[in-house]
Amino acid sequence: MKMLTPKFGAAWRQALTGVCLAVAAAGAYAQAWPSKPVRLIVPYAAGGFSDQAARAIGKALSDDLKQPVVIENRGGAGGRIGAEAVSRMTPDGYNLLLTTNGTHTYMAVTEKSLSYDPVNDFTPISQIASYGLLMVVNPSVPAKNVKEFIEYAKANPGKLSYASSGPGSGLHFAGEVFKSMTGVQMTHVPYKGSGPGLLDVIANVCQVIFAGEAKPHIDSGKVRLLGTTSARRDPRYPDVPTVAEGGLPGYDLTYWVALFGPKDLPADVRERLSVAIRNIMKDEALQKQFASMGLVPVGSTPEQLVSQIRTETSKLREVAVQSGIVSP
């Protein structure tokens, strides 16, 4: 048998080695993620509802991924600052956005020059849960329900202010729709998140807020609950009517929490995360924790999340035009 010359044999071995290394590297890449901590960026201030939900999700996701999940708050501009930052990050699976529909449907309707595209500049992963906001007031406001609040606000025009998590946010939208449907006058005061806004309602700097994390302060008497923004009553307060039931028929604003990555997140990473979220939502302990926060677990596919964003944005645009929040 004719033997390979040393020169040809070396070249052959080098080529074969290169192929083996490429295959091994591809396999290692597929298996490596995540090989270090994953960062969940919350585009709202610490202490708010989104932040609380993120910490519950972060712990469960860390257990599933076998890697630490670090929460980083980047509040400001109703969530726009944090959302925009993630849209520009490297799509390697280590920087993710946990946000509400405030940054992805409400702002798409209220902001004429939004610096990112809610669908095309992100990789949708999964809708995590849905919820209604709690309409609460400082105890100095004598109203005990929505109907009484409307009467009081009309009798005291310009004396009330409501806090939000920033211009164009879901909380801002809730306040403006309420004003439009009732004709009451309230001054909008934006904050970097619902947490700081709620603290100022407790301090009577503002008198009203539509917030998700108000339960401890409701139960302690620091604020008074008037109703919930969604069509269904909050599971924590089944005896408290919704805003629509309490005096404003047709008022219905439901919110959600979802997970996104930067645009062009690798398909295998997206699928790994989406499956992880859907599995996490089946955990009974997490379901109980969510229920205590007023959250209804969802766990959607990426495709379902995209469909939700498109459908909801169209619906909200109609509501915004009818309410005078934006021009036709």
Side-chain angles (χ1 to χ4, degrees):
M1 179 182 291
K2 186 177 179 180
M3 301 297 292
L4 294 173
T5 64
K7 181 178 180 181
F8 184 78
W12 181 82
R13 286 194 298 273
Q14 185 177 10
L16 181 60
T17 299
V19 171
C20 291
L21 288 174
V23 172
Y29 173 79
Q31 297 174 4
W33 188 90
S35 59
K36 61 181 182 179
V38 174
R39 183 169 54 165
L40 276 189
I41 295 175
V42 180
Y44 304 104
F49 186 70
S50 301
D51 178 64
Q52 294 176 20
R55 294 182 189 282
I57 285 295
K59 183 179 184 304
L61 193 58
S62 176
D63 293 340
D64 187 282
L65 299 178
K66 311 303 181 188
Q67 284 289 343
V69 173
V70 181
I71 309 299
E72 179 178 318
N73 298 92
R74 291 199 185 186
R80 185 184 340 182
I81 292 175
E84 180 183 346
V86 174
S87 73
R88 297 179 178 180
M89 290 180 177
T90 302
D92 56 9
Y94 292 103
N95 294 291
L96 305 172
L97 175 70
L98 192 144
T99 187
T100 68
N101 45 349
T103 61
H104 276 65
T105 60
Y106 287 91
M107 279 193 171
V109 171
T110 59
E111 298 296 304
K112 293 182 178 180
S113 57
L114 194 59
S115 55
Y116 57 84
D117 186 300
V119 173
N120 297 323
D121 287 345
F122 297 88
T123 299
I125 296 171
S126 180
Q127 181 181 341
I128 295 170
S130 64
Y131 63 99
L133 297 178
L134 303 174
M135 180 182 180
V136 299
V137 298
N138 182 277
S140 65
V141 177
K144 301 297 190 296
N145 53 53
V146 172
K147 183 179 179 180
E148 290 182 2
F149 178 84
I150 295 172
E151 293 172 350
Y152 176 78
K154 287 184 175 180
N156 296 273
K159 292 186 178 181
L160 297 175
S161 60
Y162 78 93
S164 84
S165 51
S169 65
L171 277 67
H172 180 205
F173 202 94
E176 290 304 306
V177 171
F178 187 91
K179 286 170 56 180
S180 175
M181 292 180 68
T182 60
V184 304
Q185 297 180 28
M186 293 192 298
T187 301
H188 173 223
V189 182
Y191 291 81
K192 288 187 176 182
S194 57
L198 180 57
L199 290 177
D200 264 8
V201 172
I202 293 171
N204 204 25
V205 175
C206 296
Q207 291 71 47
V208 190
I209 190 171
F210 298 83
E213 74 277 21
K215 186 179 187 302
H217 306 300
I218 294 170
D219 295 346
S220 66
K222 293 179 180 178
V223 293
R224 183 185 305 118
L225 174 62
L226 300 185
T228 56
T229 64
S230 59
R232 58 186 294 175
R233 296 187 180 189
D234 190 290
R236 299 167 296 180
Y237 301 103
D239 297 330
V240 177
T242 65
V243 171
E245 292 174 326
L248 192 53
Y251 189 95
D252 177 14
L253 295 174
T254 300
Y255 298 81
W256 44 258
V257 179
L259 185 65
F260 298 84
K263 181 181 179 180
D264 296 327
L265 191 70
D268 58 334
V269 175
R270 181 189 71 170
E271 183 62 17
R272 174 73 178 86
L273 284 165
S274 183
V275 170
I277 292 297
R278 295 200 295 274
N279 289 336
I280 287 170
M281 290 303 103
K282 299 175 184 177
D283 182 76
E284 291 186 4
L286 186 63
Q287 289 178 357
K288 290 181 180 179
Q289 185 176 5
F290 268 23
S292 70
M293 298 170 65
L295 285 167
V296 178
V298 177
S300 74
T301 65
E303 294 75 19
Q304 289 170 331
L305 177 53
V306 171
S307 178
Q308 172 71 18
I309 292 172
R310 295 190 188 281
T311 301
E312 185 174 299
T313 300
S314 177
K315 175 184 175 182
L316 288 175
R317 186 168 285 113
E318 291 181 8
V319 173
V321 171
Q322 292 171 1
S323 302
I325 297 174
V326 298
S327 56

